[in-house]
């Protein structure tokens, strides 16, 4: 009995559902072109519908277990809906509605930084990646920033930053350095005066001891002797440097060089030999050579 009542109840439910569907208006389909819409309220309604579809697909694409092909298809569908949304937003502006493009969301990388992907067509946003699609092979590299190459500064860039402050001309303008230098200068001046007075006292004591024939104290004498030794060493060093410079200036010739007269005589002899070889015979040349040899012997005898 209960079974028949359940069947009757189910048939009644189906009948009621069918009647309600008959009363409803036929389901409206979104226009293919946004320019076909003439009503601002309808344009805003279709934009809201697209936004809901984008939200569902963005939620679905967060699942990394869908597989590479499904993720790529979802990402393509989301980009297609975004382009359609831009068309409707532009149509809403044309119909006198608000400008939604000012508050559109930006695409971010894996770290959450905003990334601008320009559209090659120049209109609207470029292709975007969402959710797990950012980690697909070939896509991760798009979000990785290339290492910044440190540009080497040129000499012009280095000199451009050099001013009076670099050379210390403005160090005293703030007054801090003057306050710090004042006490330090007083200490150094007092130490220098004290040292000078000690040396003068040592010299006076040394002169008195020399005149009286007494022996100077070890501490005082050692200071004077140390200064005198430094002066002697410095003089010896300067003397050695002068000698080395003088030695470098000297130039010793180990081969005897002929003077001007000797050079002229050799040139004349060479010209004579050329003329004789040109116009004299061989016999005459031999006789002349013998005569010169005899004269040379005689000259040597006279010289002895």
């Amino acid at each position: 009995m209960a079974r028949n009542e359940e069947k009757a109840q189910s048939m009644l439910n189906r009948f009621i559902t069918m009647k309600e569907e008959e009363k409803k208006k036929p389901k409206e389909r979104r226009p293919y072109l946004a320019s076909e819409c003439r009503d601002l309220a309808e344009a805003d309604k279709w934009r809201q519908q697209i936004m809901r579809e984008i939200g569902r697909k963005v939620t679905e694409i967060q699942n990394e277990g869908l597989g590479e092909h499904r993720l790529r298809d979802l990402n393509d569908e989301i980009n297609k809906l975004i382009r359609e949304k831009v068309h409707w937003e532009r149509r809403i502006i044309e119909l006198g509605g608000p400008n939604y493009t000012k508050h559109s969301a930006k695409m971010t990388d894996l770290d959450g930084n905003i990334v601008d992907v320009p559209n090659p067509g120049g209109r609207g946003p470029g292709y975007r990646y969402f959710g797990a699609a950012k980690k697909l092979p070939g896509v991760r590299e798009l979000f990785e920033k290339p290492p910044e190459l440190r540009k080497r500064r040129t000499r012009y860039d280095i000199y451009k930053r050099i001013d009076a402050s670099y050379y210390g001309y403005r160090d005293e303008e703030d007054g801090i350095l003057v306050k710090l230098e004042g006490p330090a200068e007083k200490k150094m001046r007092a130490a220098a005066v004290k040292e000078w007075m000690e040396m003068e006292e040592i010299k006076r004591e040394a002169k008195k001891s020399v005149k009286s024939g007494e022996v100077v104290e070890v501490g005082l004498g050692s200071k004077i002797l140390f200064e005198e030794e430094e002066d002697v060493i410095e003089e010896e060093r300067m003397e050695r440097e002068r000698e080395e410079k003088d030695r470098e200036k000297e130039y010793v010739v180990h081969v005897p060089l002929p003077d001007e007269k000797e050079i002229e005589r050799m040139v004349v002899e060479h010209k004579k030999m050329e003329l004789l070889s040109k116009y004299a015979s061989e016999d005459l040349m031999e006789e002349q050579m013998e005569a010169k040899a005899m004269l040379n012997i005689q000259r040597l005898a006279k010289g002895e």
Side-chain angles (χ1 to χ4, degrees):
M1 188 68 182
R3 184 66 177 168
N4 294 332
E5 289 179 1
E6 289 176 1
K7 288 180 180 180
Q9 188 70 22
S10 63
M11 290 179 66
L12 180 61
N13 290 335
R14 286 199 298 272
F15 178 77
I16 293 170
T17 304
M18 184 178 67
K19 286 297 182 181
E20 288 178 354
E21 289 178 356
E22 287 178 356
K23 290 178 182 178
K24 286 182 180 179
K25 293 181 181 180
K27 189 175 182 181
E28 291 183 297
R29 187 175 179 182
R30 188 167 65 239
Y32 182 73
L33 296 175
S35 58
E36 296 176 357
C37 183
R38 306 294 179 185
D39 188 9
L40 178 60
E42 285 188 6
D44 194 85
K45 181 184 71 174
W46 298 128
R47 179 185 173 276
Q48 293 296 330
Q49 185 185 33
I50 294 170
M51 292 290 290
R52 287 193 294 271
E53 291 179 11
I54 292 172
R56 285 197 300 270
K57 291 184 182 296
V58 169
T59 305
E60 187 180 356
I61 205 173
Q62 304 299 324
N63 186 5
E64 297 182 8
L66 293 176
E68 181 180 348
H69 298 290
R70 178 58 182 159
L71 289 173
R72 290 187 185 275
D73 292 341
L74 276 172
N75 202 77
D76 292 339
E77 292 172 6
I78 293 170
N79 279 276
K80 185 178 178 181
L81 289 170
I82 288 173
R83 286 195 297 272
E84 190 175 353
K85 179 177 73 72
V86 172
H87 293 319
W88 282 105
E89 288 174 351
R90 194 177 296 119
R91 183 59 180 166
I92 289 170
I93 295 171
E94 291 173 358
L95 294 172
N99 186 4
Y100 293 105
T101 57
K102 291 182 179 180
H103 309 289
S104 59
K106 301 287 185 180
M107 187 177 66
T108 58
D109 57 7
L110 297 173
D111 298 329
N113 301 318
I114 295 174
V115 179
D116 290 330
V117 182
N119 187 2
R123 296 180 64 186
Y127 193 86
R128 298 183 178 185
Y129 292 93
F130 299 88
K134 295 180 181 180
K135 300 180 181 178
L136 291 174
V139 179
R140 184 187 292 270
E141 289 78 6
L142 297 175
F143 295 97
E144 291 179 355
K145 294 182 180 179
E148 295 182 359
L149 298 175
R150 189 175 181 183
K151 188 179 178 181
R152 187 174 180 181
R153 291 190 301 171
T154 60
R155 189 180 294 274
Y156 172 76
D157 295 333
I158 295 171
Y159 286 153
K160 190 167 63 176
R161 300 184 181 184
I162 295 177
D163 53 2
S165 301
Y166 177 81
Y167 295 101
Y169 294 135
R170 297 177 182 170
D171 292 345
E172 298 181 359
E173 289 183 358
D174 53 359
I176 297 173
L177 189 62
V178 177
K179 292 179 182 178
L180 297 174
E181 283 182 347
E185 185 179 355
K186 290 180 181 178
K187 290 180 181 178
M188 292 174 67
R189 191 184 297 276
V193 170
K194 184 179 179 182
E195 185 179 355
W196 180 80
M197 292 178 68
E198 288 180 356
M199 293 305 300
E200 289 296 320
E201 184 68 24
I202 290 168
K203 288 178 182 178
R204 283 196 296 271
E205 293 293 332
K207 287 179 182 178
K208 288 180 182 178
S209 61
V210 169
K211 289 180 181 179
S212 60
E214 295 177 358
V215 179
V216 188
E217 293 182 7
V218 177
L220 302 177
S222 62
K223 288 184 179 180
I224 296 170
L225 290 172
F226 180 71
E227 289 184 355
E228 291 178 354
E229 287 177 0
E230 282 187 345
D231 295 339
V232 172
I233 291 169
E234 184 67 21
E235 288 178 1
E236 290 179 354
R237 186 181 64 78
M238 293 177 68
E239 185 66 26
R240 283 198 301 271
E241 288 179 357
R242 282 196 296 271
E243 290 177 358
E244 288 177 0
K245 288 181 181 178
D246 295 340
R247 197 180 296 111
E248 288 176 358
K249 290 179 182 178
E250 292 179 358
Y251 180 73
V252 180
V253 180
H254 300 283
V255 180
L257 297 174
D259 54 359
E260 292 182 2
K261 292 181 179 180
E262 188 69 21
I263 291 170
E264 289 178 2
R265 188 184 65 76
M266 291 172 68
V267 171
V268 171
E269 288 289 337
H270 183 67
K271 287 183 178 180
K272 282 182 181 179
M273 293 299 294
E274 286 183 354
L275 291 171
L276 287 171
S277 63
K278 203 170 186 181
Y279 298 105
S281 62
E282 293 182 359
D283 296 335
L284 186 60
M285 289 284 292
E286 290 178 359
E287 289 177 1
Q288 191 175 3
M289 292 293 289
E290 290 177 1
K292 281 184 179 181
M294 291 173 65
L295 288 170
N296 192 15
I297 292 167
Q298 289 177 1
R299 284 174 184 172
L300 289 171
K302 286 179 181 179
E304 291 175 358

